[in-house]
Amino acid sequence: MESSPTVAAISTPLGAGAIGIVRMTGSEAIDICDRIFTGRRPLAEAASHTLNYGVILDPKTKEAVDEVLVGVMRSPASYTREDIVEVNCHGGPVVLQKILSFFLDGGARLAGPGEFTRRAFLNGRLDLAQAESVAQIIAAKTGAGLRVAMSQLGGGLSETIKSLRWSILNVLAAVEAGIDFSDEDIEELDKSEAEARLEQINQQIGELVNTAFAGRVLNQGVRTAIVGQPNVGKSSLLNAMLMRERAIVTEIPGTTRDTIEEVINVKGIPLLLIDTAGLRPHADTVEKIGVERSLRAMKEADLILCLFDGSQQENDHDRALLTSVPAEKTVYVINKCDKFRGRQPVFNLGLLPSQPVIISALTRQGMRDLTEKIAAAVLGGSIPPLENPIVTQERHLRLLTEASSFLNRAAQGLRVGLGEELIAEELRSALSALDEITGEEFIDDLLDTIFHEFCIGK
Ligand SMILES: Nc1nc2c(ncn2[C@@H]2O[C@H](COP(=O)(O)OP(=O)(O)OP(=O)(O)O)[C@@H](O)[C@H]2O)c(=O)[nH]1
Ligand SMILES: [Mg+2]
């Protein structure tokens, strides 16, 4: 194991809290902490995985700074596989900053984002896919998202990648045997069998790729834009779905100027709800920018809730809106049904490409129908079985797709009788794409990009 400098960071969020943690990893961690810690015995004598009560003293003034519990985890049975100390102190920003600065004065360096997890990866405790899941656990927005991340941390995806890798290696070995012994009298590579095996592997990769949409949904939420003309009740709908008065609602058209984003949980599926400015052509400068943002939100959305005021006669703007909204990702919603209770809406439903949901954002009537319809529109209403690996990272999706196209080319090569060297090359490229997922193969830039997303102290 290569020895890296000892690094330290505050691992708990900034701000006041009951408890805060300053964490340090590296071969000098225990020594550095011992210089400012006074307890029943020095940490150097503490057994691994113990909590040690004591006080932190300012090394210059010898003044007590805080009463603490220090966790000691010794190499190699720690998160980073290095010696780790975790000072559990009171969660005030001044205390935390002081203890961190004592560590830095004592010779530690400030940890970069995700540096603890990066070390866990470099020291072989986690592979790269597992390390990425750590950030995902922290960012999980629903129970389902958390379970997927936990399964990835447990090695679910990595196992699948390893087994795919193994299958490709077998085909590669057969192909390479043909190259090495081409002059000798050995059995020829059974090309149709190799081709069939490649197709089978590709099918498994395809199944993984197909989970990516669900993965992104569980990981980041479904981008759901509420669009419609001014005053139809978009902000009221956002508030009704959030069950709190988040957005300003008034009877004045053009109330919402900027997009507002909030996360809600619909049957375990996280939705990133986006309230937008009402779409109308004759807007003032501020509103015009708002309208541009609305159009962008609509374009980038996975799902659109297109809202109409059911108590009003449709007009040309409604017709124009209907032509600009992509029907395949839209749920149509007729609002203000309290105004025509028991009667047909004034708005002509025949204009809509699909059956709308009729609601009142004011009285919350029909809200349950709406959530049912949203859940059905996303993932067909059910979350895929979470026991199976699910692709949640854009990076993994890209590499799987790359691997798949190399395998296709190898299979095609077999079909048309391409030289074995060339086929072996395609197979090696497929392997290296898969290796990049688990980090068998990596360059520092890749690690920088991945761990940059992490918080400091993780
Ligand atoms: N009766 C009734 N009034 C509603 C309903 N939903 C919204 N409203 C009213 O309609 C007006 C406009 O509501 P908003 O939610 O601000 O409408 P909006 O679509 O966000 O409007 P802009 O932000 O201007 O585009 C307010 O006076 C709301 O109280 C409803 O279901 N029933
Ligand atoms: Mg609004």
Side-chain angles (χ1 to χ4, degrees):
M1 197 163 85
E2 85 185 76
S3 143
S4 319
T6 297
V7 294
I10 298 171
S11 284
T12 40
L14 287 179
I19 291 171
I21 296 177
V22 189
R23 199 186 203 195
M24 182 159 51
T25 181
S27 53
E28 288 179 77
I30 294 173
D31 270 3
I32 293 174
C33 193
D34 252 339
R35 277 178 238 146
I36 57 166
F37 172 82
T38 307
R40 196 185 300 165
R41 67 175 91 78
L43 299 171
E45 290 167 21
S48 186
H49 293 77
T50 54
L51 264 187
N52 302 272
Y53 171 78
V55 281
I56 296 289
L57 298 179
D58 183 320
K60 291 199 189 91
T61 64
K62 301 296 169 206
E63 220 175 296
V65 171
D66 198 6
E67 206 181 44
V68 296
L69 281 171
V70 181
V72 173
M73 271 86 46
R74 290 182 186 277
S75 170
S78 75
Y79 185 61
T80 54
R81 291 210 164 154
E82 303 168 337
D83 284 346
I84 292 184
V85 292
E86 284 182 3
V87 179
N88 293 254
C89 57
H90 290 103
V94 177
V95 178
L96 287 161
Q97 285 295 349
K98 272 203 170 181
I99 296 175
L100 176 64
S101 71
F102 298 157
F103 284 169
L104 301 183
D105 292 344
R109 167 169 78 59
L110 187 63
E115 188 158 358
F116 289 83
T117 309
R118 186 179 183 136
R119 288 182 180 208
F121 164 68
L122 289 172
N123 294 330
R125 187 179 174 282
L126 301 171
D127 70 28
L128 202 50
Q130 288 173 310
E132 285 170 300
S133 71
V134 172
Q136 223 172 292
I137 288 171
I138 294 172
K141 295 188 179 73
T142 60
L146 176 61
R147 271 159 70 197
V148 172
M150 277 302 291
S151 140
Q152 191 174 319
L153 178 64
L157 179 68
S158 308
E159 285 305 316
T160 310
I161 300 292
K162 271 185 210 140
S163 107
L164 287 168
R165 188 177 188 282
W166 184 244
S167 310
I168 298 172
L169 265 179
N170 275 323
V171 180
L172 179 61
V175 172
E176 281 182 335
I179 302 171
D180 292 346
F181 303 104
S182 50
D183 295 337
E184 292 169 35
D185 190 20
I186 71 152
E187 212 175 305
E188 271 219 6
L189 170 69
D190 184 338
K191 293 194 171 156
S192 64
E193 197 203 314
E195 201 190 318
R197 264 153 72 188
L198 289 182
E199 246 144 49
Q200 202 186 353
I201 300 167
N202 237 344
Q203 200 179 335
Q204 284 170 287
I205 294 183
E207 280 163 21
L208 264 186
V209 166
N210 286 340
T211 65
F213 180 70
R216 190 169 68 79
V217 161
L218 294 174
N219 195 17
Q220 298 169 13
V222 186
R223 289 189 69 84
T224 308
I226 307 174
V227 304
Q229 288 202 54
N231 236 23
V232 294
K234 298 178 297 300
S235 302
S236 304
L237 176 59
L238 175 89
N239 291 347
M241 292 182 83
L242 286 174
M243 297 203 264
R244 66 188 164 90
E245 302 306 307
R246 166 68 179 86
I248 299 173
V249 167
T250 75
E251 67 290 350
I252 305 161
T255 299
T256 306
R257 296 301 182 99
D258 203 351
T259 48
I260 298 178
E261 301 192 353
E262 287 288 335
V263 176
I264 62 159
N265 185 337
V266 172
K267 301 183 129 196
I269 304 167
L271 296 194
L272 181 67
L273 265 188
I274 307 157
D275 178 24
T276 64
L279 296 163
R280 67 168 165 187
H282 309 295
D284 66 31
T285 318
V286 178
E287 212 183 331
K288 245 187 206 132
I289 300 171
V291 169
E292 276 161 26
R293 291 194 178 171
S294 304
L295 293 173
R296 191 176 339 131
M298 188 154 91
K299 214 168 117 207
E300 290 169 356
D302 301 308
L303 181 71
I304 296 172
L305 303 181
C306 183
L307 200 60
F308 297 95
D309 179 346
S311 67
Q312 302 274 332
Q313 187 82 40
E314 67 281 1
N315 58 29
D316 287 347
H317 296 321
D318 291 315
R319 281 181 242 274
L321 176 61
L322 278 167
T323 57
S324 64
V325 175
E328 67 285 356
K329 59 173 187 179
T330 300
V331 169
Y332 297 92
V333 185
I334 300 292
N335 190 28
K336 307 199 186 181
C337 75
D338 54 292
K339 285 193 174 176
F340 52 88
R341 202 176 333 196
R343 286 175 286 121
Q344 278 297 309
V346 182
F347 186 91
N348 175 11
L349 302 188
L351 289 176
L352 305 176
S354 63
Q355 187 80 17
V357 187
I358 298 178
I359 63 155
S360 165
L362 199 66
T363 66
R364 302 190 47 82
Q365 196 183 324
M367 289 302 288
R368 190 191 293 258
D369 293 346
L370 181 60
T371 50
E372 292 289 341
K373 186 108 177 194
I374 290 172
V378 182
L379 305 180
S382 67
I383 295 172
L386 302 178
E387 311 77 63
N388 302 341
I390 291 177
V391 177
T392 52
Q393 311 272 333
E394 238 12 86
R395 190 180 81 82
H396 300 172
L397 177 61
R398 177 175 54 75
L399 291 166
L400 283 168
T401 316
E402 264 175 35
S404 169
S405 68
F406 286 124
L407 292 180
N408 268 330
R409 283 180 12 204
Q412 202 181 353
L414 284 166
R415 250 192 315 277
V416 301
L418 205 67
E420 272 139 357
E421 283 89 350
L422 295 175
I423 294 169
E425 200 47 48
E426 302 288 2
L427 293 176
R428 268 185 233 111
S429 303
L431 278 175
S432 103
L434 293 185
D435 283 349
E436 212 181 299
I437 295 179
T438 48
E440 303 277 330
E441 252 179 39
F442 67 90
I443 46 168
D444 282 346
D445 282 357
L446 171 65
L447 297 193
D448 288 345
T449 326
I450 290 175
F451 290 105
H452 191 72
E453 303 285 309
F454 275 63
C455 28
I456 305 256
K458 184 64 234 180

